Structure formats: C-alpha cells, structure tokens
Amino acid sequence: MLYVFKFPDIGEGIHEGKILKWHVKKGQEVMEGDPVVNVETDKVVTDIPIPKDGVIKNTYGKEGEVINVGDALVEMEVEGEEAEEEAEVKAPPKEGREAEGEPASRTEVAKAKTKTKKIEEKGFGVVGQIEEADTDAFLPATGEGMEAQAAVAAEKEPGRKALATPVARKMAMDLGIDINTVRGTGPAGRVMKEDIKKAFDEKQAGPKVARKPGKIEIPAEAEDMVEVEELTQIRKTIINRMVQSKFTAPHATAFEEVEVSRLVELRKEKKEELAEQGVKLSYMPFIIKAVSLALRRHKSLNCKLDMENNRVIYQKFYNIGFATDTPEGLMVPVIKNADRKSIIEIAESIKDLSDRARERKIQLDELKGGTFSITNYGSIAGTYGVPVINYPEVAILGVGRIVQRPVVKGGEIVPGNVLPLSMSFDHRIVDGADAARFIKDLMAMLADPLTMLMM
Amino acid sequence: MLLKTFDPLKGKQLRIMDENGEIVDEKNMPELTDDQVVEAYKYMLYARQVDLKAVAYQRMGRLFTLPPNLGQEAAAFGSAYALDKKKDWMVPAFREMAAWLYWGATAKDLYLYWAGSEDGNVTPDDVNFMPSAVPVASQVPHAAGLGYSIKYKGTDQVVITYFGDGGTSEGDFHEGMNFAGVFKLPVIFFCNNNQYAISVPRRMQSAAKNLADKAIGYGMPGIQVDGNDFFAVYAATKEAAEYARDGNGPVMIEAETYRRGYHTTSDDPTKYRTAEEEAEWEKKDPLIRMKKYLEKKGLWDDDKENDYVKHAKKDISAQFKEVEEYPRTSLEQIFKYMYEEMPDILKKQKVEMEKYLAGKEGR
C-alpha cells in the first residue's frame, strides 16, 4: 500500500525547512530509520529518517527548495500493511498541509493556515489585504498557541510585537528591517525568513516608481539613424524625481492671469539703476519675494506630507527653489529664507546660484531644503504649462511669458501686460480653495508690487 | 584513597582505562567480575540504542524536543552502577538516560516523557529517583534536601545528583553544595562536564581550572575523573558513596566527558564547534574503549554486539509502539503534579485553558 511521509515538525514549532540534499531516489528500498533527506530549519541542519520499511515511489521538493511542515516529503510503497486512514491521503505537495491525518505521528503537528482577508474601507473599495492567521493554530510543543492568538488580536494595534524565531529576528536586524512592520505568513502570523527577505528586497528596490523602465530595442537597420547617449547621473536623478512626484502626489493645476503693468514699469525704472551696480533685475526676484510672502499666509502650500507617520509638517521657513536650465539638464537651486531677503538680495542670489549651477560649481546643500519651487519657462517661451511638483514639496508655480494684450480696465479696452501663472499643487493636502486663496494674494502683490510692503 | 590522592588542585585526573581499552592504572582498577563488566557494557549499549532511536523518532516528528546522550553513557551509568539502587536516591538533570534505565525506568517511560506525558516520570515503587529536571541546576538543592532528610532519619542511604558544567554557574548549585557541606550530608554532586552549556564552552563557564576545584570552597572533597572511562567513574563514585555513607559528608565528582550530539534536537552544534574537535572526542568515546577492553579479554566480539543491538532495537521498537498507542496526554497532567492539592491559581489557569480549548474545537 501507499504511504505518504510528511515533513514533520522537528523543532519547537518550526514551520518550514530547506531541502539541502536527498539521500534517496525513486525506486530505492529503504529501512525504517534510514535518512532520506537532509534539511535545514531555523534551528538545525539534520537528516530526516524514514519511519517505515518500503520502496520510495516519489520524493517531493528539489534541493534548495523550501518545504512546509506537513507537506508531503516522500511517497512510498509499504509492504504487508492494511491501508491506514492517513495512507489514503495522496497528498500532492501543495495540498499536503491541508490534508487531514498525520501519518505516523501521535503528536499533533501545528496546522496553522493563513487566510487572506480583504479589508474594505467605506468609499474607497478594497484598499488592501492583510494576512490573518487562523486562530485554530495551536502549537502543543511550546504552548505558543496562546501567544499566537494574542498576537493575532494585537495585529490591528500599533506597536505590536511580531511573532518570530530568534533566527528570523536576527536576520531582520542584520538587514535593517523592523520585524514588527513585516507581514508574517507563518502559523499564527509568524514572521518567516522569506517574509523578511521579501521585505528586504522591496526595500532595496526602493519605491516602486524608481523601477527601471522597459527596454527599448534598436532595430539593426535603424542603428545608423539614431544617436545613443548614456544617461548622466543628473538625468537619472531628474527621471526618478519626476516619476516619484507624478506617481505620489496627485497633481491639480490652477491657471491665472495677472495684469502686471505696474510691475513692468517698476522693473523698467529700477533695471538700469541696478545694472550700474552690477545687478541684473529680472521679474523673478519680484515673483520669488511675492511667493515667499504669500506662503507666510497660506501654510498648507509650504508643508510636507509625512505619510509614514500620518502627519503634516508645516514649515515656518520659506526656501524658494527656482528651476534653472543648465547644459546638463534641469537643476533647482534654492534661495533660503526668501521672505527675509530684499528683492535686490534675491536678484543677486539668483545670479550667483544659476551661474554656479551652469558651471557645475553649485554645492549640494544649495540644491536642498526647498519648501516651494518656481519654474520660469516664460523667460524662453510658453504661456501656460502643467509644472511637476518638486516632490516632497506640495506646490510649484509655473511662470509664463508676459505678453502685451488688450485688457479691460474701468470699462475701457486698454493695452495691458499680462503675466500667465500656472500652479500645480499636491491635491492630497492642498485643497483647491487653499490654492485659489494663495494665488489671489500672490496676484495682488504682482499686480501692485507696493502691496508687498504691506505683507 | 582516591579522594585524597587525586587532588584536582594538583591537576590530577583519575583514569583507569585509556582510549584503546588498555588498563593504565591497575592499582585503582575496581573489583568487578567479568560478568559485571559485560553487564555494564550491555547497559550502556542498550542506553545508546534508546538514545539513537529517540533522536530518529524525534526527527520523524514522533517525539518532541529531547536531549541526546551520545558519548555520556559511561559517566551516567558508571556512577549509577556504583550505588545501591534498592535504597539510594538518584536526582537527575535530563541527560542521564543510562542511569535512569539502570535505576528501573524503561525506554517506554523515557519516551513517554519526551512525548509529553507526565506518566513517563512515574517512579517504580521499589526505587528512589526524582523526575527529570530541565531547569538548570534546580535539582541540586533538592538533592541536598533529600540528604538532610536521610541524615535526620539516620538511614544509611546516599543521594547522587547530576548537573552539567553550565549548572555550576547557577545559584542553586552554590546553595545545594554549601548546605550539604555545612551539614555534612550524604550527597554525591556529580558534574557531567560535557564541555558545552548549549553553545557556551567550558572555558567560558568558569575561571576555575577544574570544576572539581569548587568542592574545596564548600569544605568537601572533589575529584576529577575521565568521564568516558567506565572504570574511573565507577571507582570514584564507589568511594564517594562509602565516604558519604560513613557520615563524612558530601563529595563532588567532575566527570570530564563530551556531548557528541546536539544539546537538544533544536540545537545545531556546527555553529559553535568544529568537526575536528568532534572527531577527536569520538576517538575517546566510552563505548568504543570499553568494547576494545572486552574484546581483548575475550568477553565480547562483533557477533555478540550485532546480536545484542538487534535484540535491543526490537525491544525498543516494541516499547515505542506502546508509547504511540498510549492515550493522549490529558490537560490535567499539566496542572496536577506540582502540589498535592491544586492551588486556586492553578485551578483558575486550568479552567481558562479548558475554555480556550473548547472554543477552539467549537469553531
């Protein structure tokens, strides 16, 4: 008759083992006590002896594979025995754990199953799945069943302590993984080594958005029709940052037009005066100043969203990044504490930082610490755009080219200077109304620069 | 007198038979008949089969975690054989299978215990031994207490208690040894120095040169013996028993041996010791040298060995079958034996456990 020997629980509630070496082959005759396979568990490396005399019909699992306690290990033909209940179970490896009856085992092997439970949240549909340990799991060898049940109950609470073997804990520690954050797939939610490996691999891969894009083949006939260039480090950074931003922050963009004739006049007036002092006065210093002052009144546009800790961090400093076109690609130097700098100081900073960015002499910390960014594509060409937020900032202002256009003033059509603005914001934390209120203040300052003195 | 001649402080160790089965200390060779020596070997060989089978059964998932005895048979059996099992007391730790079997426990009893049944700890009526003590050195004060009762009653019994090299680091070891020393109790403190307390090597266990040195501090004689030499273990324990029985007080014996197997079946010795070291100690195995001795005397040969092992295995398998057919361990066993009458706190725990199990089945 056929007899199935399942991988036994050979340690204190172990759950799985890795097959290191098979000692037997199909068709081989074996005696009770003969070692059939060498396995490695969380605790030991050992040979597993066979409980009966007979002939091996099948072995399950290849060397290097991980098997679970209760999985069929060996199927054998045993002579001269009546078919026993357990022997009728022709358990393929996958179903081994589910099969009832423990061959040749008077001790109850822990048969913990995990089932996947869908957790639904009202209004959002299925937002996630959690592995819920079956509370039937009762490990008689160690009495961990009780603990396990407690662990299941605690799973929904923050700060729960994961159920795991010391080996697994050490592995997690060595890999820099907080074991309490790892979802356990073992009995009673136990965190297994493979769970930790998975968590580590995911961590290594970084956020999913940073994954490498697909491969593009160049057809042989087109080889001399294309120019291939390796990506520079700067470009790789831009790629990652753009993708991360677009796939993390849901962008919404508001468009506005400001009549800036007064600003144009003021600039014109001061431009030559300052040129004598060696300062090049563009519109940017005015815009940066106005933005920084508006941010002081609208904290939600100067915040950071910390999803890991479920909190918003409102920043009480106003560091404005400005997109700079360099031969290597886009760079965003940051003007620190722009709200406390004069327009002339800002103008000087812009020149200094952008010159050094183009010469690649800019320091790393001058590209960091921004709280809000401005991209001035209008200095080249462009009216409106949908700028990409410089994540993890929550908003970016796109500045278009000032165009002379007829505008209506006091019921009259007069020539006007119109500045188009496009502001993208992270709609998770910035509501449309907040964005509109911010833009309204900003427009007031740009329409009448003197307002800035009042802010 | 061995206890005087073999001063551990002078680095002396009693060894009568070497690794090749040669008698190297004829003067101290104990007086045993050939039949007794063969009987002793058979006991150790039987114990080894029980032990090897236990590990195999555990690896099949048929027994729970257990501590293998491989390599320590002479220390356990030699010391037990030197005592009077009809009246003396044995207070074991958990790795003295050969002593248990000699004292009257059966392979079935031992297997039952490691299969989770307290019934395996039931002592036959006509012998005196305590159940297995898994917590390290907790049994040492028990042995001192038994010694105290013997002294109080004025009987001529002695107590032997076993513990490991790791046990000597425990407070219980100190308390038991000190108490026995102060009251001159008839207790033999038998240390199975098997070189490792799980993974902690002997040199990390104590700064003392020999563990037997510790006896001095408690005012009792101490002796170190080659624990893989049946004759040395027997001779030293025999003399210690006479010394204690005569009212001279306790003795400590350190048997230097080696745990050839796992600490328990949940341990992996390859993590903390080398294959070379294991091979060195295999050469010193107590059964190998005893067999060589017997072969040289014409008392034993391979045929006898094979016959005996075959017979032993059959006997052991039959006993194991009884274990597998034994009724499942009842919940009550977990709570029943600590106190004569179950205290409220245990009653409460038992009820909680019953509720838990009922809930589990009801689902």
Side-chain angles (χ1 to χ4, degrees):
Chain A
M1 59 138 234
L2 222 47
Y3 165 75
V4 177
F5 178 46
K6 294 176 190 170
F7 180 44
D9 178 358
I10 56 163
E12 290 156 356
I14 62 131
H15 165 71
E16 60 182 14
K18 186 173 162 191
I19 296 174
L20 295 184
K21 191 173 165 36
W22 278 104
H23 298 307
V24 295
K25 286 188 212 117
K26 268 186 214 176
Q28 191 173 326
E29 208 168 307
V30 289
M31 300 274 284
E32 183 201 332
D34 283 354
V36 288
V37 66
N38 188 256
V39 294
E40 179 184 19
T41 71
D42 276 355
K43 304 203 174 185
V44 297
V45 174
T46 187
D47 281 338
I48 302 285
I50 195 90
K52 286 175 191 285
D53 297 350
V55 178
I56 304 289
K57 298 291 277 184
N58 236 326
T59 60
Y60 296 107
K62 292 194 187 87
E63 287 172 8
E65 272 181 15
V66 173
I67 47 165
N68 293 311
V69 167
D71 280 357
L73 198 54
V74 170
E75 193 179 61
M76 63 191 288
E77 189 67 42
V78 181
E79 263 182 54
E81 275 190 50
E82 292 300 308
E84 288 170 21
E85 191 193 335
E86 63 263 24
E88 286 165 6
V89 180
K90 289 178 194 171
K94 290 294 172 214
E95 286 166 29
R97 286 168 67 196
E98 309 291 329
E100 288 301 316
E102 296 295 328
S105 173
R106 70 180 286 285
T107 57
E108 189 184 312
V109 174
K111 286 177 289 183
K113 289 172 265 179
T114 57
K115 47 188 177 187
T116 303
K117 193 178 175 189
K118 283 181 180 169
I119 300 297
E120 293 190 14
E121 214 168 276
K122 211 175 173 185
F124 289 89
V126 176
V127 295
Q129 294 184 328
I130 64 160
E131 291 277 299
E132 197 187 52
D134 189 339
T135 44
D136 283 353
F138 179 53
L139 314 173
T142 56
E144 280 178 25
M146 295 288 269
E147 271 175 46
Q149 207 185 33
V152 170
E155 195 166 19
K156 283 139 203 150
E157 293 162 22
R160 78 180 170 103
K161 192 168 176 282
L163 195 63
T165 63
V167 174
R169 285 185 200 285
K170 170 133 199 326
M171 181 181 166
M173 212 165 78
D174 291 347
L175 295 175
I177 304 276
D178 176 3
I179 198 161
N180 297 321
T181 64
V182 179
R183 180 75 62 210
T185 61
R190 186 184 301 239
V191 177
M192 312 304 297
K193 286 202 279 189
E194 68 195 36
D195 299 331
I196 296 162
K197 265 179 219 145
K198 207 176 133 204
F200 178 70
D201 290 345
E202 278 169 11
K203 194 181 165 193
Q204 286 298 95
K208 279 184 184 148
V209 294
R211 237 186 256 151
K212 283 177 187 165
K215 195 177 174 185
I216 306 277
E217 299 286 349
I218 303 166
E221 65 272 18
E223 257 172 26
D224 50 1
M225 294 164 70
V226 296
E227 191 185 320
V228 180
E229 214 174 75
E230 290 286 315
L231 292 178
T232 61
Q233 199 49 49
I234 290 177
R235 180 55 61 189
K236 284 185 201 162
T237 306
I238 294 169
I239 291 168
N240 283 335
R241 298 286 298 275
M242 291 294 173
V243 174
Q244 186 188 24
S245 176
K246 268 287 189 178
F247 284 93
T248 308
H251 284 52
T253 309
F255 305 98
E256 255 301 353
E257 288 181 344
V258 206
E259 209 292 306
V260 290
S261 293
R262 283 190 187 179
L263 178 63
V264 172
E265 270 170 45
L266 178 63
R267 184 216 170 208
K268 206 171 166 185
E269 202 177 297
K270 297 288 173 190
K271 194 182 165 186
E272 278 162 35
E273 193 180 316
L274 287 167
E276 286 168 19
Q277 297 170 30
V279 179
K280 187 191 163 205
L281 187 65
S282 67
Y283 291 106
M284 268 302 268
F286 295 97
I287 298 169
I288 288 172
K289 179 76 179 177
V291 162
S292 64
L293 293 175
L295 285 173
R296 291 212 299 215
R297 302 176 124 208
H298 302 275
K299 63 176 186 177
S300 71
L301 283 106
N302 200 53
C303 73
K304 285 198 168 68
L305 195 51
D306 177 11
M307 286 311 290
E308 207 174 297
N309 297 306
N310 291 314
R311 59 181 186 172
V312 192
I313 301 163
Y314 295 107
Q315 301 159 119
K316 291 181 176 170
F317 47 90
Y318 308 91
N319 298 342
I320 313 299
F322 61 99
T324 303
D325 175 39
T326 79
E328 310 284 335
L330 170 69
M331 281 183 152
V332 188
V334 175
I335 296 176
K336 307 259 161 75
N337 301 313
D339 62 316
R340 287 191 258 144
K341 286 191 164 83
S342 71
I343 287 169
I344 292 173
E345 282 168 339
I346 294 172
E348 286 168 343
S349 287
I350 292 172
K351 176 145 179 20
D352 171 45
L353 289 168
S354 54
D355 283 354
R356 285 194 290 114
R358 287 185 198 103
E359 292 159 18
R360 300 205 60 180
K361 284 179 184 163
I362 196 156
Q363 302 297 308
L364 191 61
D365 66 346
E366 290 170 318
L367 297 169
K368 281 180 161 180
T371 61
F372 185 103
S373 293
I374 299 174
T375 171
N376 180 13
Y377 41 79
S379 63
I380 303 169
T383 319
Y384 294 103
V386 179
V388 178
I389 296 165
N390 190 9
Y391 189 84
E393 293 168 16
V394 295
I396 183 166
L397 180 70
V399 180
R401 189 162 41 93
I402 297 173
V403 285
Q404 282 200 313
R405 259 198 356 220
V407 293
V408 181
K409 265 186 188 168
E412 303 266 329
I413 296 175
V414 295
N417 293 283
V418 175
L419 171 66
L421 299 176
S422 314
M423 190 182 78
S424 292
F425 51 95
D426 184 342
H427 214 337
R428 292 177 304 171
I429 191 69
V430 182
D431 293 339
D434 293 335
R437 278 189 281 267
F438 170 81
I439 291 170
K440 196 180 167 198
D441 273 356
L442 180 64
M443 284 166 65
M445 285 186 273
L446 294 175
D448 181 3
L450 285 178
T451 315
M452 281 190 244
L453 294 176
M454 313 297 165
M455 291 273 182
Chain B
M1 188 178 168
L2 299 172
L3 296 179
K4 286 224 170 102
T5 326
F6 288 87
D7 183 350
L9 291 180
K10 289 179 185 150
K12 288 198 174 179
Q13 186 187 80
L14 176 63
R15 174 193 272 188
I16 295 169
M17 174 172 60
D18 72 6
E19 293 164 35
N20 300 312
E22 302 286 353
I23 301 304
V24 291
D25 186 351
E26 201 71 57
K27 189 164 66 78
N28 290 313
M29 183 72 175
E31 284 173 27
L32 288 164
T33 65
D34 286 351
D35 282 354
Q36 280 179 306
V37 178
V38 171
E39 184 192 25
Y41 180 68
K42 281 181 176 173
Y43 258 111
M44 294 195 286
L45 193 55
Y46 182 81
R48 178 161 291 188
Q49 300 312 312
V50 175
D51 182 53
L52 293 175
K53 280 269 192 187
V55 175
Y57 290 139
Q58 198 282 335
R59 290 299 186 233
M60 296 171 196
R62 298 158 90 174
L63 289 175
F64 289 135
T65 300
L66 54 84
N69 288 244
L70 187 66
Q72 295 183 225
E73 293 89 345
F77 181 75
S79 54
Y81 200 54
L83 297 175
D84 187 343
K85 67 176 174 181
K86 290 296 172 199
K87 66 178 180 192
D88 294 335
W89 273 93
M90 182 191 59
V91 183
F94 53 82
R95 209 190 298 280
E96 296 83 28
M97 206 179 240
W100 253 302
L101 291 166
Y102 174 67
W103 227 273
T106 61
K108 181 187 164 186
D109 293 333
L110 297 168
Y111 289 155
L112 259 184
Y113 178 71
W114 298 115
S117 174
E118 287 298 332
D119 293 353
N121 269 332
V122 175
T123 313
D125 286 340
D126 54 346
V127 289
N128 302 317
F129 63 87
M130 297 280 270
S132 176
V134 175
V136 178
S138 65
Q139 70 280 13
V140 177
H142 303 166
L146 277 167
Y148 197 38
S149 81
I150 289 166
K151 188 166 182 182
Y152 180 78
K153 287 191 277 189
T155 58
D156 69 340
Q157 294 161 287
V158 299
V159 183
I160 187 165
T161 185
Y162 297 96
F163 49 88
D165 37 320
T168 64
S169 294
E170 294 288 328
D172 281 351
F173 166 80
H174 165 75
E175 289 163 27
M177 291 275 284
N178 192 55
F179 191 87
V182 170
F183 292 96
K184 287 196 173 300
L185 306 177
V187 183
I188 300 164
F189 294 94
F190 195 98
C191 177
N192 279 309
N193 171 10
N194 67 10
Q195 313 303 329
Y196 290 93
I198 310 188
S199 57
V200 178
R202 161 60 187 90
R203 65 170 194 285
M204 301 290 289
Q205 196 61 246
S206 170
K209 199 160 175 237
N210 300 297
L211 296 175
D213 297 353
K214 290 174 183 284
I216 313 303
Y218 300 104
M220 67 176 83
I223 183 170
Q224 192 190 57
V225 303
D226 179 343
N228 286 358
D229 171 6
F230 165 75
F231 295 118
V233 174
Y234 177 85
T237 316
K238 185 106 184 142
E239 189 175 305
E242 280 162 18
Y243 178 90
R245 220 183 291 279
D246 289 347
N248 298 309
V251 178
M252 178 180 173
I253 299 172
E254 177 195 358
E256 198 179 28
T257 179
Y258 193 75
R259 186 194 79 219
R260 285 184 54 202
Y262 319 97
H263 166 72
T264 70
T265 47
S266 292
D267 167 47
D268 184 359
T270 62
K271 295 262 165 37
Y272 53 83
R273 65 190 195 191
T274 63
E276 290 76 29
E277 182 188 301
E278 289 180 357
E280 272 310 299
W281 278 95
E282 187 178 350
K283 286 186 211 154
K284 301 180 192 172
D285 183 90
L287 268 69
I288 294 174
R289 69 174 82 173
M290 187 89 165
K291 183 167 177 257
K292 282 179 181 164
Y293 169 82
L294 290 171
E295 283 171 345
K296 276 174 203 160
K297 290 201 78 176
L299 297 169
W300 199 252
D301 55 38
D302 282 341
D303 285 346
K304 279 184 179 162
E305 175 118 350
N306 292 340
D307 274 0
Y308 184 78
V309 168
K310 210 174 134 188
H311 157 82
K313 279 186 174 170
K314 215 177 138 189
D315 172 62
I316 294 162
S317 294
Q319 292 195 53
F320 187 69
K321 197 156 184 277
E322 285 181 48
V323 172
E324 294 208 309
E325 286 162 1
Y326 202 79
R328 273 191 65 90
T329 301
S330 67
L331 181 65
E332 196 181 25
Q333 284 208 345
I334 297 170
F335 303 95
K336 195 176 171 183
Y337 299 113
M338 191 61 162
Y339 300 93
E340 186 171 3
E341 220 172 287
M342 207 186 293
D344 286 349
I345 186 154
L346 285 185
K347 281 182 191 159
K348 201 178 145 203
Q349 283 180 19
K350 183 166 170 274
V351 170
E352 278 171 9
M353 195 65 195
E354 280 164 351
K355 269 191 202 158
Y356 171 75
L357 292 174
K360 193 170 82 91
E361 274 155 29
R363 221 174 291 136

